[in-house]
Amino acid sequence: MTAFDLNSYLADRRKRVDEALLQLLPTGTDDPGRLKEGMRYSVLLGGKRMRPMIVIAACEAAGGTVEAALAAACALEMVHAYSLVHDDLPAMDNDLERRGKPTVHVAFGHAQAILIGDALLSRSFEVLANGAPGVTPDNVSRAVVRLAIHSGVDGMVGGQALDIAHGQDIHSLALLERVHSLKTGALYAAGGALGALSANASTAQVRDLETWGLKFGIAFQHADDILDDDQKSLRGEALTRVDQLVSECDALAGQFGDHAVALHALARWVKDRAHAAAAGVKAD
Ligand code: GRG
């Protein structure tokens, strides 16, 4: 068997996602408030596209194709982009730069940034509900429900509220992981579920890939905290948890055999990222 190269895998899938996003985001000169321009700015100017990668890798693990996963992958990236636009606002984190560029509210204005985020969320659900080649209508509808749950009050938005309530004042790993699982893990869980549904996978496989995404997302956020020097008092425990979460991811992915090669490599990537950060090596 040829060795799996995660970097080439990601480069190829990112290219497919970027081409699809280019098509799926609105264009046109009828753009009062420059909302279409702002939507494209927020999504197209950078980002690692990790959430779409999980949708595609989960779909492939369950025997599906990149083509079938693209709409769901783009829909998830639009939700992620909306969350970043709103998170950067003065009422939230008040960030002036993201991905090395002025944040959306700096470039387009505060009111426009709120509307750009809102419009991205709506577009996301439009794209997902429109379906994809070979995906059954029932599975499209299930995917809409999974994304709604994971992005809403019982997912990312609820996690943001919990984070605002506690901030850097978290002294227990259990509470920290509750925040991480909602704020970050939920969109990754959606990634696993949407990927599996794009492959018309069985109910048990959808559940397992959703759990894979959740565990990956929590590990991703622990790694991000270490990179950003956040939640310092829990760093040692967090690093141990990354190792446990990654093992659990590998156990879940194991049932998909060789099809899950990208999922295993992604789990390894997040583990390496956390350990490199703890050793002081800065990554993107
Ligand atoms: C404001 C509705 C609302 C939600 C905000 C996800 C979130 C909730 C806020 C974003 C801020 C933040 C640091 C969240 C943690 C998740 C995270 C690590 C986001 C950055 O994701 P990356 O690293 O970013 O995947 P790129 O730029 O690569 O897409």
Side-chain angles (χ1 to χ4, degrees):
M1 202 174 90
T2 37
F4 179 79
D5 178 1
L6 182 64
N7 286 333
S8 346
Y9 176 88
L10 294 177
D12 174 78
R13 272 51 174 182
R14 277 185 189 130
K15 186 164 170 288
R16 304 277 303 268
V17 167
D18 284 346
E19 286 163 2
L21 282 168
L22 215 53
Q23 298 300 319
L24 291 168
L25 286 162
T27 49
T29 47
D30 181 17
D31 191 15
R34 297 169 67 209
L35 301 187
K36 294 177 185 172
E37 187 188 343
M39 289 165 81
R40 297 177 79 83
Y41 177 93
S42 68
V43 177
L44 297 174
L45 291 182
K48 295 183 289 301
R49 308 276 187 249
M50 287 314 294
R51 292 152 192 82
M53 295 304 105
I54 301 309
V55 177
I56 293 173
C59 180
E60 292 179 301
T65 61
V66 178
E67 187 77 349
L70 273 180
C74 292
L76 186 56
E77 187 67 7
M78 288 183 206
V79 173
H80 170 56
Y82 122 75
S83 80
L84 297 181
V85 173
H86 281 191
D87 188 63
D88 289 335
L89 283 165
M92 298 257 184
D93 274 3
N94 196 16
D95 278 320
L96 302 180
E97 272 200 13
R98 175 166 295 276
R99 299 165 170 170
K101 310 217 167 45
T103 45
V104 171
H105 67 90
V106 170
F108 292 84
H110 294 190
Q112 281 84 354
I114 294 170
L115 297 174
I116 286 163
D118 294 342
L120 281 168
L121 181 61
S122 301
R123 178 65 111 189
S124 160
F125 280 95
E126 180 189 342
V127 166
L128 189 60
N130 273 335
V135 186
T136 65
D138 271 0
N139 283 330
V140 170
S141 153
R142 286 187 188 102
V144 168
V145 173
R146 298 323 297 158
L147 185 58
I149 291 172
H150 285 302
S151 59
V153 70
D154 291 321
M156 180 185 70
V157 170
Q160 179 77 348
L162 198 60
D163 190 29
I164 290 168
H166 293 283
Q168 286 290 313
D169 203 20
I170 295 181
H171 301 291
S172 101
L173 190 72
L175 177 58
L176 183 65
E177 286 214 355
R178 174 94 187 116
V179 174
H180 287 357
S181 66
L182 291 170
K183 184 176 155 180
T184 310
L187 284 199
Y188 281 101
L194 265 52
L197 289 164
S198 303
N200 298 312
S202 70
T203 305
Q205 288 178 325
V206 174
R207 187 200 54 222
D208 286 349
L209 287 168
E210 187 166 42
T211 306
W212 186 99
L214 179 64
K215 289 176 186 297
F216 176 90
I218 297 170
F220 178 90
Q221 188 57 57
H222 280 313
D224 222 62
D225 280 356
I226 299 171
L227 273 167
D228 292 347
D229 246 355
D230 286 339
Q231 310 293 354
K232 278 201 244 182
S233 64
L234 294 170
R235 170 172 292 199
E237 284 176 80
L239 200 57
T240 306
R241 275 296 286 153
V242 169
D243 292 351
Q244 282 170 357
L245 288 160
V246 165
S247 304
E248 288 164 14
C249 281
D250 282 338
L252 285 163
Q255 66 184 287
F256 298 96
D258 288 349
H259 288 297
V261 62
L263 291 183
H264 287 295
L266 284 157
R268 178 82 221 179
W269 170 82
V270 88
K271 181 173 171 169
D272 290 348
R273 183 175 165 86
H275 282 269
V281 180
K282 290 286 166 200
D284 177 25

